[in-house]
PDB file of all heavy atoms in Angstrom:
ATOM      1  N   LEU A   1    -155.141 -84.412  30.928  1.00 80.00           N
ATOM      2  CA  LEU A   1    -155.972 -85.024  31.956  1.00 80.00           C
ATOM      3  C   LEU A   1    -157.431 -84.641  31.744  1.00 80.00           C
ATOM      4  O   LEU A   1    -157.735 -83.539  31.287  1.00 80.00           O
ATOM      5  CB  LEU A   1    -155.519 -84.572  33.341  1.00 80.00           C
ATOM      6  CG  LEU A   1    -154.132 -85.020  33.809  1.00 80.00           C
ATOM      7  CD1 LEU A   1    -153.879 -84.512  35.216  1.00 80.00           C
ATOM      8  CD2 LEU A   1    -153.989 -86.524  33.742  1.00 80.00           C
ATOM      9  N   SER A   2    -158.323 -85.549  32.079  1.00 76.00           N
ATOM     10  CA  SER A   2    -159.745 -85.265  31.915  1.00 76.00           C
ATOM     11  C   SER A   2    -160.533 -86.007  32.978  1.00 76.00           C
ATOM     12  O   SER A   2    -160.054 -86.969  33.587  1.00 76.00           O
ATOM     13  CB  SER A   2    -160.220 -85.683  30.514  1.00 76.00           C
ATOM     14  OG  SER A   2    -160.046 -87.082  30.329  1.00 76.00           O
ATOM     15  N   GLY A   3    -161.776 -85.535  33.196  1.00 82.00           N
ATOM     16  CA  GLY A   3    -162.701 -86.231  34.086  1.00 82.00           C
ATOM     17  C   GLY A   3    -162.190 -86.401  35.496  1.00 82.00           C
ATOM     18  O   GLY A   3    -161.703 -85.472  36.154  1.00 82.00           O
ATOM     19  N   GLY A   4    -162.280 -87.644  35.998  1.00 85.00           N
ATOM     20  CA  GLY A   4    -161.892 -87.937  37.365  1.00 85.00           C
ATOM     21  C   GLY A   4    -160.421 -87.676  37.639  1.00 85.00           C
ATOM     22  O   GLY A   4    -160.043 -87.373  38.775  1.00 85.00           O
ATOM     23  N   ALA A   5    -159.576 -87.777  36.600  1.00 87.00           N
ATOM     24  CA  ALA A   5    -158.145 -87.531  36.791  1.00 87.00           C
ATOM     25  C   ALA A   5    -157.887 -86.075  37.174  1.00 87.00           C
ATOM     26  O   ALA A   5    -156.961 -85.783  37.940  1.00 87.00           O
ATOM     27  CB  ALA A   5    -157.382 -87.881  35.511  1.00 87.00           C
ATOM     28  N   ARG A   6    -158.698 -85.162  36.660  1.00 90.00           N
ATOM     29  CA  ARG A   6    -158.543 -83.757  37.029  1.00 90.00           C
ATOM     30  C   ARG A   6    -158.947 -83.546  38.490  1.00 90.00           C
ATOM     31  O   ARG A   6    -158.356 -82.725  39.188  1.00 90.00           O
ATOM     32  CB  ARG A   6    -159.392 -82.876  36.110  1.00 90.00           C
ATOM     33  CG  ARG A   6    -158.885 -82.802  34.676  1.00 90.00           C
ATOM     34  CD  ARG A   6    -159.780 -81.915  33.825  1.00 90.00           C
ATOM     35  NE  ARG A   6    -159.790 -80.557  34.319  1.00 90.00           N
ATOM     36  CZ  ARG A   6    -158.972 -79.588  33.910  1.00 90.00           C
ATOM     37  NH1 ARG A   6    -158.044 -79.865  33.003  1.00 90.00           N
ATOM     38  NH2 ARG A   6    -159.060 -78.372  34.403  1.00 90.00           N
ATOM     39  N   ILE A   7    -159.945 -84.277  38.951  1.00 91.00           N
ATOM     40  CA  ILE A   7    -160.357 -84.182  40.354  1.00 91.00           C
ATOM     41  C   ILE A   7    -159.223 -84.681  41.261  1.00 91.00           C
ATOM     42  O   ILE A   7    -158.911 -84.072  42.298  1.00 91.00           O
ATOM     43  CB  ILE A   7    -161.652 -84.982  40.584  1.00 91.00           C
ATOM     44  CG1 ILE A   7    -162.819 -84.284  39.871  1.00 91.00           C
ATOM     45  CG2 ILE A   7    -161.944 -85.150  42.072  1.00 91.00           C
ATOM     46  CD1 ILE A   7    -164.134 -85.022  39.957  1.00 91.00           C
ATOM     47  N   ALA A   8    -158.594 -85.792  40.862  1.00 92.00           N
ATOM     48  CA  ALA A   8    -157.454 -86.306  41.634  1.00 92.00           C
ATOM     49  C   ALA A   8    -156.327 -85.278  41.672  1.00 92.00           C
ATOM     50  O   ALA A   8    -155.644 -85.118  42.691  1.00 92.00           O
ATOM     51  CB  ALA A   8    -156.966 -87.620  41.018  1.00 92.00           C
ATOM     52  N   PHE A   9    -156.126 -84.581  40.567  1.00 93.00           N
ATOM     53  CA  PHE A   9    -155.092 -83.542  40.522  1.00 93.00           C
ATOM     54  C   PHE A   9    -155.403 -82.428  41.517  1.00 93.00           C
ATOM     55  O   PHE A   9    -154.504 -81.913  42.195  1.00 93.00           O
ATOM     56  CB  PHE A   9    -155.001 -82.971  39.102  1.00 93.00           C
ATOM     57  CG  PHE A   9    -154.038 -81.833  38.962  1.00 93.00           C
ATOM     58  CD1 PHE A   9    -152.679 -82.061  38.836  1.00 93.00           C
ATOM     59  CD2 PHE A   9    -154.483 -80.522  38.965  1.00 93.00           C
ATOM     60  CE1 PHE A   9    -151.778 -81.008  38.715  1.00 93.00           C
ATOM     61  CE2 PHE A   9    -153.605 -79.460  38.842  1.00 93.00           C
ATOM     62  CZ  PHE A   9    -152.246 -79.711  38.721  1.00 93.00           C
ATOM     63  N   VAL A  10    -156.668 -82.055  41.629  1.00 93.00           N
ATOM     64  CA  VAL A  10    -157.052 -81.014  42.585  1.00 93.00           C
ATOM     65  C   VAL A  10    -156.744 -81.466  44.008  1.00 93.00           C
ATOM     66  O   VAL A  10    -156.184 -80.705  44.815  1.00 93.00           O
ATOM     67  CB  VAL A  10    -158.547 -80.663  42.440  1.00 93.00           C
ATOM     68  CG1 VAL A  10    -158.984 -79.707  43.556  1.00 93.00           C
ATOM     69  CG2 VAL A  10    -158.819 -80.027  41.082  1.00 93.00           C
ATOM     70  N   TYR A  11    -157.095 -82.724  44.315  1.00 93.00           N
ATOM     71  CA  TYR A  11    -156.861 -83.233  45.669  1.00 93.00           C
ATOM     72  C   TYR A  11    -155.370 -83.300  46.005  1.00 93.00           C
ATOM     73  O   TYR A  11    -154.920 -82.771  47.025  1.00 93.00           O
ATOM     74  CB  TYR A  11    -157.436 -84.643  45.811  1.00 93.00           C
ATOM     75  CG  TYR A  11    -158.948 -84.712  45.815  1.00 93.00           C
ATOM     76  CD1 TYR A  11    -159.606 -85.853  45.354  1.00 93.00           C
ATOM     77  CD2 TYR A  11    -159.717 -83.655  46.290  1.00 93.00           C
ATOM     78  CE1 TYR A  11    -160.982 -85.942  45.366  1.00 93.00           C
ATOM     79  CE2 TYR A  11    -161.097 -83.730  46.302  1.00 93.00           C
ATOM     80  CZ  TYR A  11    -161.727 -84.873  45.832  1.00 93.00           C
ATOM     81  OH  TYR A  11    -163.087 -84.947  45.842  1.00 93.00           O
ATOM     82  N   HIS A  12    -154.622 -84.000  45.167  1.00 92.00           N
ATOM     83  CA  HIS A  12    -153.265 -84.409  45.523  1.00 92.00           C
ATOM     84  C   HIS A  12    -152.187 -83.417  45.100  1.00 92.00           C
ATOM     85  O   HIS A  12    -151.031 -83.570  45.512  1.00 92.00           O
ATOM     86  CB  HIS A  12    -152.972 -85.786  44.929  1.00 92.00           C
ATOM     87  CG  HIS A  12    -153.980 -86.820  45.342  1.00 92.00           C
ATOM     88  ND1 HIS A  12    -154.196 -87.144  46.656  1.00 92.00           N
ATOM     89  CD2 HIS A  12    -154.859 -87.570  44.616  1.00 92.00           C
ATOM     90  CE1 HIS A  12    -155.155 -88.072  46.742  1.00 92.00           C
ATOM     91  NE2 HIS A  12    -155.573 -88.335  45.511  1.00 92.00           N
ATOM     92  N   GLU A  13    -152.547 -82.451  44.303  1.00 93.00           N
ATOM     93  CA  GLU A  13    -151.574 -81.433  43.916  1.00 93.00           C
ATOM     94  C   GLU A  13    -151.988 -80.056  44.439  1.00 93.00           C
ATOM     95  O   GLU A  13    -151.303 -79.466  45.263  1.00 93.00           O
ATOM     96  CB  GLU A  13    -151.419 -81.398  42.378  1.00 93.00           C
ATOM     97  CG  GLU A  13    -150.762 -82.642  41.806  1.00 93.00           C
ATOM     98  CD  GLU A  13    -149.314 -82.785  42.219  1.00 93.00           C
ATOM     99  OE1 GLU A  13    -148.663 -81.746  42.459  1.00 93.00           O
ATOM    100  OE2 GLU A  13    -148.827 -83.928  42.321  1.00 93.00           O
ATOM    101  N   LEU A  14    -153.115 -79.571  43.959  1.00 93.00           N
ATOM    102  CA  LEU A  14    -153.521 -78.211  44.328  1.00 93.00           C
ATOM    103  C   LEU A  14    -153.821 -78.093  45.822  1.00 93.00           C
ATOM    104  O   LEU A  14    -153.263 -77.242  46.523  1.00 93.00           O
ATOM    105  CB  LEU A  14    -154.735 -77.786  43.500  1.00 93.00           C
ATOM    106  CG  LEU A  14    -154.536 -77.728  41.978  1.00 93.00           C
ATOM    107  CD1 LEU A  14    -155.801 -77.216  41.301  1.00 93.00           C
ATOM    108  CD2 LEU A  14    -153.362 -76.832  41.618  1.00 93.00           C
ATOM    109  N   TYR A  15    -154.727 -78.958  46.316  1.00 94.00           N
ATOM    110  CA  TYR A  15    -155.123 -78.844  47.728  1.00 94.00           C
ATOM    111  C   TYR A  15    -153.983 -79.232  48.660  1.00 94.00           C
ATOM    112  O   TYR A  15    -153.692 -78.523  49.638  1.00 94.00           O
ATOM    113  CB  TYR A  15    -156.345 -79.702  48.006  1.00 94.00           C
ATOM    114  CG  TYR A  15    -156.777 -79.658  49.458  1.00 94.00           C
ATOM    115  CD1 TYR A  15    -157.242 -78.477  50.028  1.00 94.00           C
ATOM    116  CD2 TYR A  15    -156.702 -80.788  50.265  1.00 94.00           C
ATOM    117  CE1 TYR A  15    -157.625 -78.422  51.368  1.00 94.00           C
ATOM    118  CE2 TYR A  15    -157.086 -80.747  51.595  1.00 94.00           C
ATOM    119  CZ  TYR A  15    -157.545 -79.558  52.149  1.00 94.00           C
ATOM    120  OH  TYR A  15    -157.912 -79.499  53.471  1.00 94.00           O
ATOM    121  N   SER A  16    -153.311 -80.340  48.368  1.00 93.00           N
ATOM    122  CA  SER A  16    -152.225 -80.800  49.239  1.00 93.00           C
ATOM    123  C   SER A  16    -151.132 -79.745  49.346  1.00 93.00           C
ATOM    124  O   SER A  16    -150.687 -79.398  50.450  1.00 93.00           O
ATOM    125  CB  SER A  16    -151.648 -82.104  48.688  1.00 93.00           C
ATOM    126  OG  SER A  16    -150.558 -82.528  49.467  1.00 93.00           O
ATOM    127  N   ASN A  17    -150.726 -79.196  48.192  1.00 93.00           N
ATOM    128  CA  ASN A  17    -149.683 -78.170  48.227  1.00 93.00           C
ATOM    129  C   ASN A  17    -150.184 -76.875  48.849  1.00 93.00           C
ATOM    130  O   ASN A  17    -149.420 -76.146  49.495  1.00 93.00           O
ATOM    131  CB  ASN A  17    -149.167 -77.903  46.811  1.00 93.00           C
ATOM    132  CG  ASN A  17    -148.359 -79.073  46.279  1.00 93.00           C
ATOM    133  OD1 ASN A  17    -147.731 -79.802  47.044  1.00 93.00           O
ATOM    134  ND2 ASN A  17    -148.379 -79.268  44.971  1.00 93.00           N
ATOM    135  N   GLY A  18    -151.470 -76.588  48.660  1.00 93.00           N
ATOM    136  CA  GLY A  18    -152.038 -75.380  49.257  1.00 93.00           C
ATOM    137  C   GLY A  18    -152.039 -75.445  50.770  1.00 93.00           C
ATOM    138  O   GLY A  18    -151.717 -74.453  51.457  1.00 93.00           O
ATOM    139  N   ILE A  19    -152.378 -76.616  51.327  1.00 93.00           N
ATOM    140  CA  ILE A  19    -152.368 -76.788  52.784  1.00 93.00           C
ATOM    141  C   ILE A  19    -150.930 -76.752  53.322  1.00 93.00           C
ATOM    142  O   ILE A  19    -150.642 -76.136  54.358  1.00 93.00           O
ATOM    143  CB  ILE A  19    -153.043 -78.120  53.165  1.00 93.00           C
ATOM    144  CG1 ILE A  19    -154.551 -78.043  52.908  1.00 93.00           C
ATOM    145  CG2 ILE A  19    -152.797 -78.459  54.633  1.00 93.00           C
ATOM    146  CD1 ILE A  19    -155.290 -77.047  53.771  1.00 93.00           C
ATOM    147  N   LYS A  20    -150.028 -77.399  52.588  1.00 92.00           N
ATOM    148  CA  LYS A  20    -148.632 -77.412  53.033  1.00 92.00           C
ATOM    149  C   LYS A  20    -148.010 -76.020  52.999  1.00 92.00           C
ATOM    150  O   LYS A  20    -147.047 -75.739  53.730  1.00 92.00           O
ATOM    151  CB  LYS A  20    -147.813 -78.360  52.159  1.00 92.00           C
ATOM    152  CG  LYS A  20    -148.165 -79.826  52.349  1.00 92.00           C
ATOM    153  CD  LYS A  20    -147.407 -80.705  51.369  1.00 92.00           C
ATOM    154  CE  LYS A  20    -147.805 -82.172  51.535  1.00 92.00           C
ATOM    155  NZ  LYS A  20    -147.143 -83.044  50.534  1.00 92.00           N
ATOM    156  N   ALA A  21    -148.552 -75.155  52.152  1.00 90.00           N
ATOM    157  CA  ALA A  21    -147.997 -73.805  52.034  1.00 90.00           C
ATOM    158  C   ALA A  21    -148.433 -72.891  53.173  1.00 90.00           C
ATOM    159  O   ALA A  21    -147.899 -71.786  53.314  1.00 90.00           O
ATOM    160  CB  ALA A  21    -148.418 -73.191  50.695  1.00 90.00           C
ATOM    161  N   VAL A  22    -149.399 -73.323  53.980  1.00 90.00           N
ATOM    162  CA  VAL A  22    -149.838 -72.497  55.113  1.00 90.00           C
ATOM    163  C   VAL A  22    -148.796 -72.608  56.225  1.00 90.00           C
ATOM    164  O   VAL A  22    -148.640 -73.651  56.854  1.00 90.00           O
ATOM    165  CB  VAL A  22    -151.227 -72.949  55.624  1.00 90.00           C
ATOM    166  CG1 VAL A  22    -151.645 -72.109  56.829  1.00 90.00           C
ATOM    167  CG2 VAL A  22    -152.270 -72.833  54.517  1.00 90.00           C
ATOM    168  N   ASP A  23    -148.092 -71.531  56.479  1.00 86.00           N
ATOM    169  CA  ASP A  23    -147.045 -71.496  57.508  1.00 86.00           C
ATOM    170  C   ASP A  23    -147.661 -70.946  58.804  1.00 86.00           C
ATOM    171  O   ASP A  23    -148.184 -69.825  58.820  1.00 86.00           O
ATOM    172  CB  ASP A  23    -145.904 -70.598  57.040  1.00 86.00           C
ATOM    173  CG  ASP A  23    -144.705 -70.631  57.986  1.00 86.00           C
ATOM    174  OD1 ASP A  23    -144.865 -71.110  59.128  1.00 86.00           O
ATOM    175  OD2 ASP A  23    -143.624 -70.175  57.577  1.00 86.00           O
ATOM    176  N   PRO A  24    -147.625 -71.712  59.888  1.00 84.00           N
ATOM    177  CA  PRO A  24    -148.261 -71.236  61.135  1.00 84.00           C
ATOM    178  C   PRO A  24    -147.594 -69.985  61.715  1.00 84.00           C
ATOM    179  O   PRO A  24    -148.176 -69.314  62.561  1.00 84.00           O
ATOM    180  CB  PRO A  24    -148.104 -72.430  62.083  1.00 84.00           C
ATOM    181  CG  PRO A  24    -146.955 -73.205  61.537  1.00 84.00           C
ATOM    182  CD  PRO A  24    -147.017 -73.033  60.046  1.00 84.00           C
ATOM    183  N   PHE A  25    -146.386 -69.681  61.242  1.00 83.00           N
ATOM    184  CA  PHE A  25    -145.688 -68.520  61.793  1.00 83.00           C
ATOM    185  C   PHE A  25    -145.673 -67.332  60.832  1.00 83.00           C
ATOM    186  O   PHE A  25    -144.904 -66.398  61.008  1.00 83.00           O
ATOM    187  CB  PHE A  25    -144.260 -68.914  62.192  1.00 83.00           C
ATOM    188  CG  PHE A  25    -144.227 -70.066  63.149  1.00 83.00           C
ATOM    189  CD1 PHE A  25    -143.702 -71.298  62.771  1.00 83.00           C
ATOM    190  CD2 PHE A  25    -144.761 -69.938  64.425  1.00 83.00           C
ATOM    191  CE1 PHE A  25    -143.692 -72.363  63.652  1.00 83.00           C
ATOM    192  CE2 PHE A  25    -144.751 -70.995  65.311  1.00 83.00           C
ATOM    193  CZ  PHE A  25    -144.223 -72.220  64.926  1.00 83.00           C
ATOM    194  N   ASP A  26    -146.529 -67.424  59.757  1.00 82.00           N
ATOM    195  CA  ASP A  26    -146.679 -66.269  58.865  1.00 82.00           C
ATOM    196  C   ASP A  26    -147.246 -65.082  59.634  1.00 82.00           C
ATOM    197  O   ASP A  26    -146.812 -63.940  59.461  1.00 82.00           O
ATOM    198  CB  ASP A  26    -147.613 -66.605  57.698  1.00 82.00           C
ATOM    199  CG  ASP A  26    -146.889 -67.378  56.619  1.00 82.00           C
ATOM    200  OD1 ASP A  26    -145.647 -67.393  56.653  1.00 82.00           O
ATOM    201  OD2 ASP A  26    -147.555 -67.973  55.752  1.00 82.00           O
ATOM    202  N   HIS A  27    -148.261 -65.363  60.456  1.00 75.00           N
ATOM    203  CA  HIS A  27    -148.981 -64.296  61.147  1.00 75.00           C
ATOM    204  C   HIS A  27    -148.583 -64.175  62.624  1.00 75.00           C
ATOM    205  O   HIS A  27    -149.060 -63.292  63.326  1.00 75.00           O
ATOM    206  CB  HIS A  27    -150.494 -64.536  61.051  1.00 75.00           C
ATOM    207  CG  HIS A  27    -151.006 -64.549  59.642  1.00 75.00           C
ATOM    208  ND1 HIS A  27    -152.237 -65.057  59.309  1.00 75.00           N
ATOM    209  CD2 HIS A  27    -150.447 -64.114  58.489  1.00 75.00           C
ATOM    210  CE1 HIS A  27    -152.422 -64.941  58.005  1.00 75.00           C
ATOM    211  NE2 HIS A  27    -151.335 -64.370  57.488  1.00 75.00           N
ATOM    212  N   VAL A  28    -147.776 -65.108  63.091  1.00 74.00           N
ATOM    213  CA  VAL A  28    -147.374 -65.094  64.506  1.00 74.00           C
ATOM    214  C   VAL A  28    -145.858 -65.000  64.585  1.00 74.00           C
ATOM    215  O   VAL A  28    -145.140 -65.918  64.201  1.00 74.00           O
ATOM    216  CB  VAL A  28    -147.859 -66.361  65.244  1.00 74.00           C
ATOM    217  CG1 VAL A  28    -147.423 -66.321  66.699  1.00 74.00           C
ATOM    218  CG2 VAL A  28    -149.369 -66.490  65.147  1.00 74.00           C
TER     219      VAL A  28
END
């Protein structure tokens, strides 16, 4: 992957999975 495709990967893989991994009951 190169250029804009890498940016799409950040959005739809890294960021999306990173947000989904935040468990609201980790700290509560």
Side-chain angles (χ1 to χ4, degrees):
L1 294 182
S2 62
R6 290 180 62 92
I7 291 177
F9 176 81
V10 173
Y11 290 152
H12 305 300
E13 292 293 331
L14 298 183
Y15 178 65
S16 177
N17 290 331
I19 290 295
K20 291 175 182 177
V22 178
D23 186 345
F25 304 113
D26 280 345
H27 299 164
V28 180

